[in-house]
Amino acid sequence: MATPMERYKKLFVGEALSEIHRYPLVSQELSSILKLGYRRFPKNVQALIFQDTLTAFRLLPDMQTSAAVSAAQLLLKSVEAVLPKQKRNLAIAELKHSKVAMKRHSKTREEEELDSPQLPEDVLRHIFSFLDVASLVSAAQVCRSWNLAAYDNNLWQKKYDLLFKDSSQSLTQKTDIDWRETFKNSYIAENLSKALRSTWGYCWYCDSIVWHNSLRCPKEQCRLKSGGKLVDHISTQQVVEYIMGGLQSNTYSSESESDEESVYGLWAYPKLAF
């Protein structure tokens, strides 16, 4: 039987933190694991979680997004509530250093933007029209010029028409529509009943929490064994139980959370930072 340390390592928290588009979500997940399970874990797991927490704070200057800053602040609250004094002080000091570095990086990037030639906004809009929604959201956080191009109303109208064909015709007759906001609201409503986001889930065939695609385990052998069966949504509390000793068949209940909680559950559905 796998140890708590082995199970925690299977989550690949440290690796996921280095990916800009996953950093906010993983930091939030780490925050919840700290609050819900840190004191229950053996010391070797506590040490690894602490290292991942320091890593999260250390990587913050490389993220340069408001979502990343908010996630780091949430993680800080868990650090202050759970960690013993010495570790708490080390983590807080690490975050302070990162915030200073982040301000320096931000100033340097602003100066570079002013000195470097920028692509015309219409060219950026054309390039962005080929991006999927998640990539478009990420592109909006790169710099001011990209942000302006990525917020283009016509661009979001095309995204809306593509995903919500049935309802787009009734809206096209209206004027002054904020298509980005309309897309966001429709996307959220759609996913209250359809689990189509790429995120974490529990696969019973490999006994692992996996980063799945369309709620299916990425491992080919599992897909073959399951016949393409969807992986289960799990709450952060269930992640803690998994680390401690694995999930039993009666641990998981799709009725334990409301639809809205499921959509916004940390390990079930990451929020898109619209």
Side-chain angles (χ1 to χ4, degrees):
M1 181 177 177
T3 65
M5 171 65 88
E6 291 169 336
R7 288 183 179 277
Y8 180 79
K9 285 182 176 180
K10 282 185 179 181
L11 301 180
F12 297 106
V13 173
E15 291 85 345
L17 282 168
S18 63
E19 301 179 40
I20 293 177
H21 66 289
R22 289 182 180 173
Y23 178 92
L25 173 66
V26 178
S27 293
Q28 292 176 53
E29 292 165 350
L30 186 57
S31 172
S32 291
I33 289 176
L34 269 169
K35 287 191 294 186
L36 294 172
Y38 181 83
R39 293 190 177 100
R40 296 175 54 193
F41 295 144
K43 289 186 177 180
N44 58 349
V45 177
Q46 290 180 350
L48 189 53
I49 291 175
F50 176 64
Q51 289 303 316
D52 283 341
T53 300
L54 293 181
T55 297
F57 289 155
R58 243 177 241 130
L59 290 173
L60 183 59
D62 298 329
M63 302 302 151
Q64 296 291 330
T65 66
S66 58
V69 174
S70 298
Q73 285 298 127
L74 184 64
L75 181 56
L76 175 62
K77 290 181 180 179
S78 294
V79 164
E80 292 173 334
V82 175
L83 291 184
K85 184 177 180 179
Q86 186 177 8
K87 289 184 176 180
R88 181 172 67 245
N89 290 341
L90 286 172
I92 292 173
E94 190 67 54
L95 181 58
K96 287 181 179 178
H97 293 155
S98 291
K99 285 183 175 180
V100 172
M102 194 171 186
K103 289 180 180 179
R104 290 174 181 166
H105 287 191
S106 180
K107 184 177 180 180
T108 301
R109 288 178 65 178
E110 288 177 2
E111 293 173 351
E112 289 176 349
E113 285 180 31
L114 292 173
D115 294 338
S116 61
Q118 300 291 325
L119 287 174
E121 188 172 328
D122 59 334
V123 174
L124 285 173
R125 287 198 301 267
H126 177 70
I127 295 172
F128 290 168
S129 67
F130 296 101
L131 298 179
D132 58 38
V133 174
S135 300
L136 184 59
V137 171
S138 297
Q141 301 176 22
V142 171
C143 62
R144 288 192 183 90
S145 61
W146 284 35
N147 181 273
L148 290 172
Y151 273 37
D152 179 72
N153 209 38
N154 291 330
L155 195 60
W156 282 100
Q157 180 179 1
K158 291 177 182 177
K159 295 296 182 186
Y160 187 92
D161 291 342
L162 184 64
L163 255 67
F164 307 105
K165 295 178 182 178
D166 295 337
S167 57
S168 62
Q169 291 182 351
S170 61
L171 290 175
T172 51
Q173 307 301 322
K174 300 180 181 180
T175 58
D176 300 326
I177 294 178
D178 185 338
W179 285 103
R180 177 175 162 273
E181 188 66 21
T182 301
F183 181 98
K184 173 184 174 180
N185 294 334
S186 298
Y187 190 87
I188 291 172
E190 182 81 4
N191 282 279
L192 284 171
S193 58
K194 293 184 179 179
L196 299 176
R197 307 288 294 278
S198 293
T199 182
W200 291 98
Y202 182 77
C203 176
W204 295 96
Y205 290 90
C206 61
D207 185 28
S208 298
I209 293 173
V210 296
W211 192 277
H212 60 76
N213 182 21
S214 297
L215 287 176
R216 289 175 173 82
C217 182
K219 299 171 186 175
E220 186 176 356
Q221 63 270 28
C222 293
R223 293 199 299 270
L224 292 174
K225 290 178 183 177
S226 66
K229 181 183 176 182
L230 302 183
V231 299
D232 287 338
H233 306 302
I234 54 176
S235 67
T236 310
Q237 181 62 54
Q238 288 170 316
V239 173
V240 172
E241 298 303 325
Y242 167 81
I243 296 171
M244 291 302 296
L247 294 176
Q248 303 300 321
S249 58
N250 61 356
T251 303
Y252 170 74
S253 172
S254 59
E255 298 177 356
S256 61
E257 296 178 297
S258 68
D259 284 340
E260 187 174 359
E261 286 172 340
S262 178
V263 167
Y264 295 125
L266 296 179
W267 292 90
Y269 295 91
K271 290 183 184 179
L272 266 181
F274 286 95

